[in-house]
mmCIF file of all heavy atoms in Angstrom:
data_model
loop_
_atom_site.group_PDB
_atom_site.id
_atom_site.type_symbol
_atom_site.label_atom_id
_atom_site.label_comp_id
_atom_site.label_asym_id
_atom_site.label_seq_id
_atom_site.Cartn_x
_atom_site.Cartn_y
_atom_site.Cartn_z
ATOM 1 N N ASP D 1 0.056 45.500 -24.861
ATOM 2 C CA ASP D 1 0.549 46.456 -25.843
ATOM 3 C C ASP D 1 1.038 45.742 -27.123
ATOM 4 O O ASP D 1 2.088 45.965 -27.616
ATOM 5 C CB ASP D 1 1.661 47.292 -25.246
ATOM 6 C CG ASP D 1 2.798 46.434 -24.755
ATOM 7 O OD1 ASP D 1 2.748 45.202 -24.768
ATOM 8 O OD2 ASP D 1 3.835 47.012 -24.332
ATOM 9 N N GLU D 2 0.117 44.844 -27.621
ATOM 10 C CA GLU D 2 0.485 44.081 -28.817
ATOM 11 C C GLU D 2 0.783 45.063 -29.978
ATOM 12 O O GLU D 2 0.055 46.002 -30.210
ATOM 13 C CB GLU D 2 -0.670 43.178 -29.220
ATOM 14 C CG GLU D 2 -0.878 41.965 -28.290
ATOM 15 C CD GLU D 2 -1.617 42.337 -26.983
ATOM 16 O OE1 GLU D 2 -2.208 43.400 -26.915
ATOM 17 O OE2 GLU D 2 -1.571 41.533 -26.088
ATOM 18 N N THR D 3 1.851 44.780 -30.727
ATOM 19 C CA THR D 3 2.151 45.566 -31.849
ATOM 20 C C THR D 3 1.409 45.149 -33.140
ATOM 21 O O THR D 3 1.280 45.920 -34.064
ATOM 22 C CB THR D 3 3.666 45.592 -32.129
ATOM 23 O OG1 THR D 3 4.058 44.196 -32.283
ATOM 24 C CG2 THR D 3 4.448 46.199 -30.974
ATOM 25 N N GLN D 4 0.948 43.922 -33.135
ATOM 26 C CA GLN D 4 0.151 43.392 -34.264
ATOM 27 C C GLN D 4 -1.107 42.813 -33.770
ATOM 28 O O GLN D 4 -1.145 42.207 -32.716
ATOM 29 C CB GLN D 4 0.979 42.341 -35.089
ATOM 30 C CG GLN D 4 2.227 42.945 -35.669
ATOM 31 C CD GLN D 4 2.917 41.937 -36.588
ATOM 32 O OE1 GLN D 4 2.424 40.788 -36.700
ATOM 33 N NE2 GLN D 4 3.994 42.358 -37.174
ATOM 34 N N GLY D 5 -2.172 43.010 -34.520
ATOM 35 C CA GLY D 5 -3.498 42.454 -34.124
ATOM 36 C C GLY D 5 -4.161 43.386 -33.109
ATOM 37 O O GLY D 5 -3.664 44.407 -32.763
ATOM 38 N N GLY D 6 -5.320 42.901 -32.662
ATOM 39 C CA GLY D 6 -6.077 43.692 -31.696
ATOM 40 C C GLY D 6 -5.460 43.644 -30.295
ATOM 41 O O GLY D 6 -4.743 42.729 -29.932
ATOM 42 N N ARG D 7 -5.734 44.675 -29.541
ATOM 43 C CA ARG D 7 -5.232 44.684 -28.151
ATOM 44 C C ARG D 7 -5.982 43.707 -27.313
ATOM 45 O O ARG D 7 -7.186 43.505 -27.524
ATOM 46 C CB ARG D 7 -5.463 46.100 -27.542
ATOM 47 C CG ARG D 7 -4.462 47.095 -28.143
ATOM 48 C CD ARG D 7 -4.672 48.490 -27.537
ATOM 49 N NE ARG D 7 -4.443 48.481 -26.082
ATOM 50 C CZ ARG D 7 -4.942 49.416 -25.276
ATOM 51 N NH1 ARG D 7 -5.635 50.398 -25.724
ATOM 52 N NH2 ARG D 7 -4.721 49.374 -23.971
ATOM 53 N N ARG D 8 -5.290 43.029 -26.424
ATOM 54 C CA ARG D 8 -5.891 42.031 -25.548
ATOM 55 C C ARG D 8 -5.964 42.563 -24.133
ATOM 56 O O ARG D 8 -5.092 43.251 -23.633
ATOM 57 C CB ARG D 8 -5.034 40.780 -25.581
ATOM 58 C CG ARG D 8 -4.977 40.057 -26.909
ATOM 59 C CD ARG D 8 -4.111 38.817 -26.797
ATOM 60 N NE ARG D 8 -4.082 38.144 -28.043
ATOM 61 C CZ ARG D 8 -3.025 37.568 -28.587
ATOM 62 N NH1 ARG D 8 -1.884 37.572 -27.941
ATOM 63 N NH2 ARG D 8 -3.113 36.951 -29.758
ATOM 64 N N LYS D 9 -7.072 42.177 -23.501
ATOM 65 C CA LYS D 9 -7.227 42.528 -22.096
ATOM 66 C C LYS D 9 -6.690 41.323 -21.278
ATOM 67 O O LYS D 9 -7.169 40.201 -21.412
ATOM 68 C CB LYS D 9 -8.694 42.748 -21.753
ATOM 69 C CG LYS D 9 -8.970 43.330 -20.424
ATOM 70 C CD LYS D 9 -10.407 43.698 -20.243
ATOM 71 C CE LYS D 9 -10.654 44.555 -19.103
ATOM 72 N NZ LYS D 9 -12.075 44.930 -18.940
ATOM 73 N N TYR D 10 -5.716 41.595 -20.453
ATOM 74 C CA TYR D 10 -5.081 40.567 -19.608
ATOM 75 C C TYR D 10 -5.629 40.623 -18.229
ATOM 76 O O TYR D 10 -6.063 41.692 -17.743
ATOM 77 C CB TYR D 10 -3.565 40.760 -19.580
ATOM 78 C CG TYR D 10 -2.908 40.415 -20.870
ATOM 79 C CD1 TYR D 10 -2.836 41.249 -21.955
ATOM 80 C CD2 TYR D 10 -2.298 39.120 -20.960
ATOM 81 C CE1 TYR D 10 -2.192 40.868 -23.134
ATOM 82 C CE2 TYR D 10 -1.681 38.772 -22.178
ATOM 83 C CZ TYR D 10 -1.648 39.635 -23.227
ATOM 84 O OH TYR D 10 -1.031 39.258 -24.386
ATOM 85 N N TYR D 11 -5.654 39.468 -17.594
ATOM 86 C CA TYR D 11 -6.181 39.359 -16.188
ATOM 87 C C TYR D 11 -5.042 38.844 -15.310
ATOM 88 O O TYR D 11 -4.160 38.042 -15.748
ATOM 89 C CB TYR D 11 -7.342 38.398 -16.165
ATOM 90 C CG TYR D 11 -8.450 38.879 -16.960
ATOM 91 C CD1 TYR D 11 -8.631 38.536 -18.300
ATOM 92 C CD2 TYR D 11 -9.423 39.787 -16.422
ATOM 93 C CE1 TYR D 11 -9.631 39.020 -19.085
ATOM 94 C CE2 TYR D 11 -10.460 40.295 -17.221
ATOM 95 C CZ TYR D 11 -10.580 39.845 -18.522
ATOM 96 O OH TYR D 11 -11.598 40.369 -19.330
ATOM 97 N N ARG D 12 -4.981 39.338 -14.100
ATOM 98 C CA ARG D 12 -3.998 39.029 -13.067
ATOM 99 C C ARG D 12 -4.724 38.754 -11.760
ATOM 100 O O ARG D 12 -5.566 39.515 -11.386
ATOM 101 C CB ARG D 12 -2.999 40.189 -12.930
ATOM 102 C CG ARG D 12 -2.027 40.002 -11.778
ATOM 103 C CD ARG D 12 -1.086 41.210 -11.608
ATOM 104 N NE ARG D 12 -0.272 41.345 -12.842
ATOM 105 C CZ ARG D 12 0.008 42.526 -13.424
ATOM 106 N NH1 ARG D 12 -0.421 43.629 -12.917
ATOM 107 N NH2 ARG D 12 0.766 42.525 -14.452
ATOM 108 N N ILE D 13 -4.252 37.693 -11.100
ATOM 109 C CA ILE D 13 -4.826 37.356 -9.799
ATOM 110 C C ILE D 13 -4.252 38.332 -8.744
ATOM 111 O O ILE D 13 -3.115 38.693 -8.821
ATOM 112 C CB ILE D 13 -4.571 35.893 -9.449
ATOM 113 C CG1 ILE D 13 -5.426 35.429 -8.206
ATOM 114 C CG2 ILE D 13 -3.077 35.645 -9.211
ATOM 115 C CD1 ILE D 13 -5.438 33.944 -7.994
ATOM 116 N N THR D 14 -5.047 38.706 -7.781
ATOM 117 C CA THR D 14 -4.641 39.589 -6.711
ATOM 118 C C THR D 14 -4.305 38.722 -5.443
ATOM 119 O O THR D 14 -4.558 37.499 -5.423
ATOM 120 C CB THR D 14 -5.729 40.628 -6.271
ATOM 121 O OG1 THR D 14 -6.874 39.860 -5.801
ATOM 122 C CG2 THR D 14 -6.164 41.441 -7.479
ATOM 123 N N GLU D 15 -3.755 39.381 -4.430
ATOM 124 C CA GLU D 15 -3.525 38.659 -3.152
ATOM 125 C C GLU D 15 -4.825 38.120 -2.632
ATOM 126 O O GLU D 15 -4.826 36.958 -2.150
ATOM 127 C CB GLU D 15 -2.858 39.567 -2.155
ATOM 128 C CG GLU D 15 -1.416 39.835 -2.427
ATOM 129 C CD GLU D 15 -0.540 38.534 -2.400
ATOM 130 O OE1 GLU D 15 -0.726 37.727 -1.493
ATOM 131 O OE2 GLU D 15 0.327 38.399 -3.270
ATOM 132 N N ASN D 16 -5.915 38.858 -2.711
ATOM 133 C CA ASN D 16 -7.175 38.360 -2.244
ATOM 134 C C ASN D 16 -7.655 37.223 -3.096
ATOM 135 O O ASN D 16 -8.279 36.262 -2.575
ATOM 136 C CB ASN D 16 -8.243 39.481 -2.294
ATOM 137 C CG ASN D 16 -8.069 40.496 -1.228
ATOM 138 O OD1 ASN D 16 -7.442 40.312 -0.216
ATOM 139 N ND2 ASN D 16 -8.654 41.712 -1.436
ATOM 140 N N GLY D 17 -7.332 37.245 -4.378
ATOM 141 C CA GLY D 17 -7.689 36.150 -5.264
ATOM 142 C C GLY D 17 -6.947 34.847 -4.882
ATOM 143 O O GLY D 17 -7.481 33.751 -4.901
ATOM 144 N N ILE D 18 -5.673 34.989 -4.531
ATOM 145 C CA ILE D 18 -4.860 33.814 -4.080
ATOM 146 C C ILE D 18 -5.463 33.244 -2.776
ATOM 147 O O ILE D 18 -5.612 31.996 -2.676
ATOM 148 C CB ILE D 18 -3.400 34.218 -3.889
ATOM 149 C CG1 ILE D 18 -2.789 34.528 -5.261
ATOM 150 C CG2 ILE D 18 -2.592 33.121 -3.194
ATOM 151 C CD1 ILE D 18 -1.418 35.220 -5.198
ATOM 152 N N GLU D 19 -5.817 34.085 -1.852
ATOM 153 C CA GLU D 19 -6.438 33.669 -0.608
ATOM 154 C C GLU D 19 -7.736 32.949 -0.901
ATOM 155 O O GLU D 19 -8.005 31.931 -0.297
ATOM 156 C CB GLU D 19 -6.627 34.847 0.338
ATOM 157 C CG GLU D 19 -5.356 35.369 0.904
ATOM 158 C CD GLU D 19 -5.553 36.683 1.707
ATOM 159 O OE1 GLU D 19 -6.732 37.002 2.087
ATOM 160 O OE2 GLU D 19 -4.562 37.398 1.946
ATOM 161 N N LYS D 20 -8.555 33.489 -1.784
ATOM 162 C CA LYS D 20 -9.837 32.897 -2.138
ATOM 163 C C LYS D 20 -9.635 31.534 -2.739
ATOM 164 O O LYS D 20 -10.354 30.569 -2.501
ATOM 165 C CB LYS D 20 -10.615 33.838 -3.042
ATOM 166 C CG LYS D 20 -11.976 33.328 -3.417
ATOM 167 C CD LYS D 20 -12.912 33.272 -2.183
ATOM 168 C CE LYS D 20 -14.299 32.926 -2.626
ATOM 169 N NZ LYS D 20 -15.185 32.695 -1.449
ATOM 170 N N TYR D 21 -8.615 31.446 -3.682
ATOM 171 C CA TYR D 21 -8.322 30.167 -4.325
ATOM 172 C C TYR D 21 -8.049 29.127 -3.270
ATOM 173 O O TYR D 21 -8.534 28.007 -3.292
ATOM 174 C CB TYR D 21 -7.174 30.318 -5.301
ATOM 175 C CG TYR D 21 -6.649 28.970 -5.723
ATOM 176 C CD1 TYR D 21 -7.324 28.208 -6.658
ATOM 177 C CD2 TYR D 21 -5.510 28.377 -5.097
ATOM 178 C CE1 TYR D 21 -6.842 26.918 -6.994
ATOM 179 C CE2 TYR D 21 -5.048 27.163 -5.404
ATOM 180 C CZ TYR D 21 -5.759 26.410 -6.338
ATOM 181 O OH TYR D 21 -5.331 25.156 -6.657
ATOM 182 N N GLU D 22 -7.149 29.465 -2.315
ATOM 183 C CA GLU D 22 -6.709 28.515 -1.288
ATOM 184 C C GLU D 22 -7.906 28.060 -0.432
ATOM 185 O O GLU D 22 -8.048 26.904 -0.120
ATOM 186 C CB GLU D 22 -5.626 29.117 -0.393
ATOM 187 C CG GLU D 22 -4.286 29.239 -1.117
ATOM 188 C CD GLU D 22 -3.664 27.886 -1.552
ATOM 189 O OE1 GLU D 22 -3.958 26.858 -0.960
ATOM 190 O OE2 GLU D 22 -2.945 27.907 -2.555
ATOM 191 N N GLU D 23 -8.741 29.047 -0.090
ATOM 192 C CA GLU D 23 -9.948 28.718 0.725
ATOM 193 C C GLU D 23 -10.851 27.824 -0.074
ATOM 194 O O GLU D 23 -11.356 26.814 0.483
ATOM 195 C CB GLU D 23 -10.633 30.067 1.025
ATOM 196 C CG GLU D 23 -11.958 29.925 1.738
ATOM 197 C CD GLU D 23 -12.631 31.273 1.874
ATOM 198 O OE1 GLU D 23 -11.911 32.273 2.230
ATOM 199 O OE2 GLU D 23 -13.855 31.373 1.634
ATOM 200 N N ASN D 24 -11.124 28.127 -1.318
ATOM 201 C CA ASN D 24 -12.043 27.284 -2.157
ATOM 202 C C ASN D 24 -11.424 25.896 -2.365
ATOM 203 O O ASN D 24 -12.150 24.887 -2.400
ATOM 204 C CB ASN D 24 -12.236 27.954 -3.522
ATOM 205 C CG ASN D 24 -13.166 29.130 -3.416
ATOM 206 O OD1 ASN D 24 -13.686 29.500 -2.329
ATOM 207 N ND2 ASN D 24 -13.340 29.826 -4.512
ATOM 208 N N ARG D 25 -10.156 25.801 -2.537
ATOM 209 C CA ARG D 25 -9.480 24.516 -2.768
ATOM 210 C C ARG D 25 -9.635 23.631 -1.558
ATOM 211 O O ARG D 25 -9.920 22.415 -1.680
ATOM 212 C CB ARG D 25 -8.004 24.726 -3.123
ATOM 213 C CG ARG D 25 -7.351 23.400 -3.610
ATOM 214 C CD ARG D 25 -5.842 23.513 -3.753
ATOM 215 N NE ARG D 25 -5.182 24.009 -2.501
ATOM 216 C CZ ARG D 25 -4.953 23.180 -1.428
ATOM 217 N NH1 ARG D 25 -5.334 21.937 -1.440
ATOM 218 N NH2 ARG D 25 -4.339 23.655 -0.405
ATOM 219 N N LYS D 26 -9.447 24.211 -0.362
ATOM 220 C CA LYS D 26 -9.631 23.383 0.897
ATOM 221 C C LYS D 26 -11.095 22.941 1.011
ATOM 222 O O LYS D 26 -11.344 21.791 1.374
ATOM 223 C CB LYS D 26 -9.218 24.187 2.037
ATOM 224 C CG LYS D 26 -7.706 24.434 2.163
ATOM 225 C CD LYS D 26 -7.317 25.368 3.302
ATOM 226 C CE LYS D 26 -5.810 25.629 3.219
ATOM 227 N NZ LYS D 26 -5.440 26.725 4.125
ATOM 228 N N GLU D 27 -12.038 23.818 0.710
ATOM 229 C CA GLU D 27 -13.468 23.469 0.766
ATOM 230 C C GLU D 27 -13.746 22.311 -0.241
ATOM 231 O O GLU D 27 -14.513 21.398 0.087
ATOM 232 C CB GLU D 27 -14.352 24.675 0.510
ATOM 233 C CG GLU D 27 -14.355 25.663 1.621
ATOM 234 C CD GLU D 27 -15.205 26.859 1.334
ATOM 235 O OE1 GLU D 27 -15.902 26.923 0.276
ATOM 236 O OE2 GLU D 27 -15.195 27.811 2.156
ATOM 237 N N TRP D 28 -13.120 22.396 -1.418
ATOM 238 C CA TRP D 28 -13.352 21.383 -2.440
ATOM 239 C C TRP D 28 -12.842 20.029 -1.972
ATOM 240 O O TRP D 28 -13.467 19.010 -2.174
ATOM 241 C CB TRP D 28 -12.707 21.838 -3.716
ATOM 242 C CG TRP D 28 -12.772 20.791 -4.774
ATOM 243 C CD1 TRP D 28 -13.845 20.447 -5.575
ATOM 244 C CD2 TRP D 28 -11.712 19.875 -5.152
ATOM 245 N NE1 TRP D 28 -13.482 19.459 -6.435
ATOM 246 C CE2 TRP D 28 -12.208 19.062 -6.180
ATOM 247 C CE3 TRP D 28 -10.429 19.668 -4.742
ATOM 248 C CZ2 TRP D 28 -11.478 18.057 -6.758
ATOM 249 C CZ3 TRP D 28 -9.686 18.690 -5.322
ATOM 250 C CH2 TRP D 28 -10.162 17.888 -6.341
ATOM 251 N N GLU D 29 -11.657 20.031 -1.339
ATOM 252 C CA GLU D 29 -11.120 18.785 -0.823
ATOM 253 C C GLU D 29 -12.060 18.066 0.165
ATOM 254 O O GLU D 29 -12.316 16.900 0.113
ATOM 255 C CB GLU D 29 -9.761 18.976 -0.129
ATOM 256 C CG GLU D 29 -8.616 19.370 -1.096
ATOM 257 C CD GLU D 29 -8.176 18.216 -1.952
ATOM 258 O OE1 GLU D 29 -8.482 17.038 -1.638
ATOM 259 O OE2 GLU D 29 -7.484 18.498 -2.947
ATOM 260 N N VAL D 30 -12.652 18.866 1.083
ATOM 261 C CA VAL D 30 -13.575 18.361 2.064
ATOM 262 C C VAL D 30 -14.832 17.860 1.327
ATOM 263 O O VAL D 30 -15.317 16.717 1.583
ATOM 264 C CB VAL D 30 -13.945 19.440 3.117
ATOM 265 C CG1 VAL D 30 -15.121 18.941 4.004
ATOM 266 C CG2 VAL D 30 -12.702 19.775 3.957
ATOM 267 N N ALA D 31 -15.387 18.658 0.399
ATOM 268 C CA ALA D 31 -16.609 18.315 -0.315
ATOM 269 C C ALA D 31 -16.352 17.035 -1.139
ATOM 270 O O ALA D 31 -17.257 16.145 -1.205
ATOM 271 C CB ALA D 31 -16.993 19.464 -1.216
ATOM 272 N N LYS D 32 -15.213 16.903 -1.749
ATOM 273 C CA LYS D 32 -14.862 15.744 -2.566
ATOM 274 C C LYS D 32 -14.939 14.463 -1.697
ATOM 275 O O LYS D 32 -15.490 13.451 -2.123
ATOM 276 C CB LYS D 32 -13.491 15.924 -3.207
ATOM 277 C CG LYS D 32 -13.034 14.749 -4.075
ATOM 278 C CD LYS D 32 -11.694 15.059 -4.735
ATOM 279 C CE LYS D 32 -10.595 15.102 -3.672
ATOM 280 N NZ LYS D 32 -9.260 14.973 -4.175
#
């Protein structure tokens, strides 16, 4: 709800997104 300039679309991580991040991070550690 910016009062000046164009409106911005914001993004927020969900609980599923947090779980996916943790899963991907663990897979990355193994792959690394």
Side-chain angles (χ1 to χ4, degrees):
D1 58 356
E2 290 78 15
T3 55
Q4 295 186 1
R7 287 179 61 201
R8 294 180 179 141
K9 190 174 195 178
Y10 286 81
Y11 298 92
R12 172 183 296 140
I13 193 168
T14 64
E15 284 299 317
N16 287 341
I18 292 169
E19 290 172 16
K20 182 66 172 172
Y21 166 79
E22 290 297 334
E23 177 186 315
N24 288 358
R25 189 188 58 75
K26 288 174 186 170
E27 288 177 6
W28 175 78
E29 290 289 343
V30 171
K32 181 177 68 163

